[in-house]
Amino acid sequence: MASSDNLITIDPDGDAIIAVSKIVNAEIKKVRFRVSRRIADALKLPRDKCEIQLAESDAASLKAMELLFRCMGASGSQDLPTEFYRLTIDEVWRVLALVDITSTQHHRPGSYNVPSRVFRKWFAAWFKRQSPELTTTDQYARLLYPAFALQELEVFASITKWLAYNDVGQIREQSLLMEAKELPSRAYRDMHMPKDVISTYRLREPVTANLGS
């Protein structure tokens, strides 16, 4: 990862700098990203001031924003830096704060109306690489909603299959964002599985239904 003076280069030929800041533990942290102008335009940032200020109450992290820029700039079979395939499940949830979730009848606008397809390829690769480390019901249960929200059908089917054959009793769904002490729980209370999808899971059948387009 190329960096200099707190500058992370996403695109070496980038013609725009996006500055992202957030208050973390009473300290203002700021990172600048060199990206293609089309990314700044897609996020509808003013051309004269490409800045994003994340509120302390915003679930999105600086790492989630970097992942967003990298996924928006990636093409073909291009891999991201290894660190993004090692993100924690908690960090995966923070990425969801940016996504415009439109699965089935469920709709939750993201911070920048980022389509789920932007993160889909990364999430599938993340899950594949993390699979050997996923061994508990809590881990799989916490990944149900991310897979649903990002409309990654194969991952969603794999998760429900594992739970169907390994879980005992009814699933106790939980939102990692609602558990985060620094975040207002009300802001993310709607980030959960729809009742009809959960009902299908509770029939102990792997869910492969169409989650949306």
Side-chain angles (χ1 to χ4, degrees), residues 93 142 173-180 188-189 191-192:
W93 272 79
R142 289 174 175 178
E173 190 185 0
Q174 48 192 310
S175 166
L176 296 190
L177 298 186
M178 289 186 66
E179 295 174 3
Y188 302 101
R189 66 190 305 176
M191 296 181 75
H192 60 80

Side-chain angles (χ1 to χ4, degrees), residues 157-198:
S158 294
I159 291 172
T160 56
K161 180 179 180 180
W162 192 96
L163 289 170
Y165 290 110
N166 294 277
D167 190 17
V168 177
Q170 289 198 352
I171 184 174
R172 289 177 296 176
E173 190 185 0
Q174 48 192 310
S175 166
L176 296 190
L177 298 186
M178 289 186 66
E179 295 174 3
K181 294 180 180 179
E182 77 277 13
L183 301 177
S185 60
R186 283 181 172 274
Y188 302 101
R189 66 190 305 176
D190 60 338
M191 296 181 75
H192 60 80
M193 297 292 296
K195 292 182 179 179
D196 58 331
V197 179
I198 283 293

Side-chain angles (χ1 to χ4, degrees), residues 101-107 116 120 123 143-157 159-160 193-194 196-198 200 207-213:
I101 300 170
T102 57
S103 300
T104 62
Q105 302 300 314
H106 187 74
H107 179 230
S116 60
R120 200 172 295 156
F123 182 65
L143 287 171
L144 259 179
Y145 184 73
F148 170 82
L150 296 176
Q151 300 178 39
E152 182 26 76
L153 302 184
E154 291 187 12
V155 172
F156 192 77
I159 291 172
T160 56
M193 297 292 296
D196 58 331
V197 179
I198 283 293
T200 302
V207 180
T208 57
N210 182 15
L211 301 182
S213 56

Side-chain angles (χ1 to χ4, degrees), residues 62-79:
L62 294 177
K63 185 60 67 177
M65 293 303 300
E66 181 179 349
L67 177 61
L68 170 62
F69 299 149
R70 289 188 180 279
C71 287
M72 291 181 74
S75 61
S77 58
Q78 179 181 357
D79 278 339

Side-chain angles (χ1 to χ4, degrees), residues 3-23:
S3 62
S4 176
D5 189 25
N6 216 30
L7 173 68
I8 295 178
T9 298
I10 306 295
D11 183 350
D13 300 319
D15 49 357
I17 301 290
I18 299 178
V20 183
S21 60
K22 182 170 185 175
I23 298 177

